[in-house]
Amino acid sequence: MSIQLSDGRTIPIEMHKIRIVQKVRLPCSGERLGAMEQAGYNTFLLRTRDIFLDMLTDSGTNAMSDNQLAAMMVSDDAYAGSESFYKLAASVKDIFGYEYLLPVHQGRAAEHLLAKVFVKPGDFVPMNYHFTTTRAHFELAGGTVLELFVDEALNTQSSDPFKGNLDPAKLKAAIDQHGAEKISFVRMEATTNLLGGQPFSMANLRAIKEITSAHEISLIVDGSLISENAYFIRQREPGYAQKSITEIIREIMDLADICYLSGRKSCSVRGGFIATNDRKHYEAIRPWLPVYEGFFTYGGMSSKEIEAMAVGVREMTDVEVAGSSADGVKYFADRLIEAGVPVVTPAGGLACHLDAARFLPHVPQTQYPAGALAAAVYLAAGIRTMERGTLSTDRARDGSEMLSDLELVRLAVPRRVFTMSHFEYATDRLAWLYQRRDLVGGLEFYEEPPVLRFFAGRLRPLGDWSQALIEACDRDFGGGC
Ligand code: F0G
């Protein structure tokens, strides 16, 4: 929720109080340089002890509620038939309206099962945009991902409220070109992560559904950030201002044939699920659940997580929960824009995104500008961010670089974790870095894994720019501690 102050400013306001906290520490500039070198200039390989503000992701890092924690105390650990599962199934039925539930240990496990059942070699999988794990699973199954986003999606300086829309004309053309029988399904990702947390509109989802039903193609929603997408529809789409988040989620789910999600985001707990009302789909996926995940009533999750998810699914429909990250992102993005720092607009869900292509125009894509910027942000401020650009895009099958459509650095705003002073500090140091952007150079791999290389790859700076940046920090902030 946001509130207007008497001086006209709008600020995000916390509709909760914080009663459990985790201590953090701001390491000195020399420590930051040492930690970055040890991590191979890959923010995934940093240790928490060396991080001040962890803005890597909202995945599994949203603050849990007292009611979620309380629910974990009464979980039923039975291997089969656990009552905890039936509580989750009841929550999913009430909020999503789906009868059949397949729990999995996290979102990518759902993608693995969907790929196993639906994606055949030579198939095409149209979607508004890929997510890293999504593409990996669908391509490993022999499919080709078709990204049919609207043209505005790649404009990082846009005011289009629904950059996560899938272009209906491109979808029709793809079906005509490849034939409906070659389409595994159409995937719509809520609050499209790699486009900068951009939502799709209900009108767009309805238009896509019309096309998929005419061709008897299934429509699958990735609902990992479903409550944020519903929050944006409520804020931005005509006719939805008076609807509840639950009503909007239900309307989305009535259009979809299957929804899967990573519970680590929307539900504020580790886990995930696939849900549907289509018995045929359910029965096709179900046999694989005990093979890859676990028995039908736990699917790789612990019973404690299942209990917390049963509560989380209901709590995410509270408008103050659904909007807590989005309101923080908006405030943070507005402060950065005031300071002249290039960020993706409109502000989306889950994170504020720096546009590394505009921040570091002198670094070519083959030298990973977003990866270099993520490293520079850590060196300058002790803030851990995530590269979302060419480094996060694996090479093509022939080994050539696949240059990413966008070069973004994600400053994640997990729900109910950061305060206004954290945003003020981050804004100040990012503005400082932007003024010294010429100091920052590119990166090159010295260890490059073949799949999802961004998780474990190690890189080195081209030239001695990291040293120069630390020296500038020392001059201006006296060691930066
Ligand atoms: N789909 C979307 C849209 C996601 O954002 C994620 C994860 C997944 C699927 C996979 O789920 O991690 O539970 O296996 N996103 C995380 C992130 C990793 O940092 O944005 P998972």
Side-chain angles (χ1 to χ4, degrees):
M1 179 170 152
S2 290
I3 203 160
Q4 189 158 19
L5 301 182
S6 44
D7 65 6
R9 284 185 301 140
T10 300
I11 58 164
I13 192 90
E14 292 83 2
M15 298 305 286
H16 55 260
K17 53 188 177 181
I18 300 165
R19 292 173 54 236
I20 295 181
V21 296
Q22 184 178 1
K23 203 164 163 46
V24 291
R25 173 184 93 87
L26 174 54
C28 299
S29 59
E31 289 178 88
R32 300 200 293 269
L33 184 59
M36 192 83 276
E37 279 182 352
Q38 275 217 327
Y41 285 76
N42 180 347
T43 56
F44 275 101
L45 302 182
L46 287 167
R47 290 181 60 162
T48 299
R49 65 170 188 204
D50 297 320
I51 296 164
F52 175 40
L53 301 183
D54 194 356
M55 296 186 164
L56 182 79
T57 179
D58 62 334
S59 179
T61 59
N62 289 329
M64 292 178 85
S65 71
D66 48 0
N67 285 323
Q68 282 185 292
L69 287 171
M72 292 172 88
M73 302 302 289
V74 290
S75 67
D76 174 6
D77 276 330
Y79 182 91
S82 160
E83 286 305 322
S84 301
F85 169 78
Y86 291 102
K87 283 190 212 165
L88 176 59
S91 294
V92 171
K93 171 96 177 97
D94 286 350
I95 306 302
F96 289 70
Y98 288 144
E99 201 67 51
Y100 305 114
L101 175 68
L102 298 155
V104 293
H105 81 275
Q106 62 184 83
R108 71 200 67 184
E111 290 167 341
H112 175 213
L113 294 179
L114 292 172
K116 173 109 198 133
V117 171
F118 293 103
V119 183
K120 306 278 170 287
D123 272 8
F124 294 87
V125 193
M127 56 186 69
N128 50 352
Y129 209 68
H130 76 281
F131 183 70
T132 50
T133 54
T134 319
R135 175 137 85 193
H137 279 296
F138 297 170
E139 289 188 349
L140 284 169
T144 300
V145 166
L146 301 176
E147 303 201 284
L148 308 181
F149 48 84
V150 288
D151 295 342
E152 192 65 6
L154 302 185
N155 178 0
T156 59
Q157 295 171 273
S158 170
S159 56
D160 184 333
F162 293 111
K163 290 201 297 182
N165 282 349
L166 194 155
D167 188 325
K170 290 182 191 165
L171 179 59
K172 280 186 197 149
I175 297 171
D176 286 348
Q177 188 186 345
H178 304 295
E181 66 291 348
K182 280 277 174 208
I183 309 276
S184 314
F185 49 79
V186 172
R187 172 179 173 276
M188 282 293 268
E189 182 182 313
T191 317
T192 324
N193 191 331
L194 297 190
L195 288 175
Q198 302 294 323
F200 58 69
S201 69
M202 195 71 82
N204 182 249
L205 188 68
R206 216 172 284 118
I208 298 307
K209 175 66 179 181
E210 255 177 50
I211 301 170
T212 53
S213 358
H215 292 90
E216 293 179 14
I217 296 170
S218 297
L219 178 59
I220 300 190
V221 167
D222 177 339
S224 305
L225 288 160
I226 191 65
S227 39
E228 277 78 6
N229 204 114
Y231 184 72
F232 287 125
I233 287 176
R234 189 170 189 269
Q235 271 191 335
R236 301 178 182 178
E237 190 160 352
Y240 285 89
Q242 302 308 322
K243 298 222 168 163
S244 67
I245 299 293
T246 310
E247 287 170 319
I248 299 171
I249 290 179
R250 182 62 77 89
E251 197 173 327
I252 293 172
M253 297 307 151
D254 285 349
L255 290 167
D257 295 296
I258 294 179
C259 173
Y260 78 92
L261 56 76
S262 166
R264 302 170 67 99
K265 292 176 174 278
S266 271
C267 312
S268 301
V269 60
R270 179 184 165 277
F273 63 73
I274 303 173
T276 183
N277 273 333
D278 187 320
R279 199 179 168 90
K280 199 166 69 332
H281 286 335
Y282 170 69
E283 284 179 352
I285 304 165
R286 193 174 127 97
W288 297 107
L289 192 63
V291 178
Y292 291 109
E293 293 297 302
F295 189 73
F296 309 116
T297 53
Y298 75 92
M301 293 169 68
S302 75
S303 57
K304 289 189 167 41
E305 291 160 347
I306 295 174
E307 288 280 349
M309 187 182 269
V311 175
V313 164
R314 293 183 193 278
E315 287 185 346
M316 76 181 186
T317 65
D318 176 342
V319 72
E320 283 148 14
V321 176
S324 66
S325 169
D327 290 343
V329 172
K330 169 93 174 71
Y331 177 79
F332 192 11
D334 285 348
R335 294 286 293 120
L336 287 167
I337 292 164
E338 273 164 41
V341 178
V343 299
V344 174
T345 60
L350 99 134
C352 179
H353 291 78
L354 302 177
D355 183 358
R358 280 187 285 142
F359 204 117
L360 300 178
H362 53 282
V363 179
Q365 278 192 283
T366 47
Q367 295 179 13
Y368 314 122
L373 183 55
V377 170
Y378 173 74
L379 291 170
I383 300 173
R384 173 158 76 163
T385 60
M386 191 189 289
E387 194 271 1
R388 299 278 73 162
T390 298
L391 217 157
S392 297
T393 313
D394 285 338
R395 287 176 190 269
R397 283 178 191 139
D398 68 2
S400 59
E401 279 286 5
M402 297 235 287
L403 300 182
S404 176
D405 296 323
L406 295 169
E407 294 291 345
L408 306 182
V409 169
R410 184 172 86 173
L411 297 144
V413 178
R415 293 178 187 166
R416 305 183 287 201
V417 170
F418 295 123
T419 62
M420 298 252 296
S421 38
H422 290 139
F423 294 137
E424 293 301 314
Y425 166 81
T427 302
D428 178 76
R429 291 303 195 264
L430 289 165
W432 177 90
L433 184 62
Y434 186 58
Q435 282 151 21
R436 284 152 193 80
R437 59 192 176 279
D438 290 344
L439 287 178
V440 182
L443 297 173
E444 66 178 359
F445 272 105
Y446 64 88
E447 278 174 27
E448 185 179 345
V451 184
L452 299 179
R453 62 182 179 175
F454 61 94
F455 279 132
R458 288 180 184 273
L459 303 98
R460 62 180 145 244
L462 290 157
D464 58 0
W465 62 261
S466 52
Q467 185 63 43
L469 191 60
I470 286 295
E471 281 164 19
C473 264
D474 287 345
R475 269 196 307 278
D476 292 352
F477 308 121
C481 293

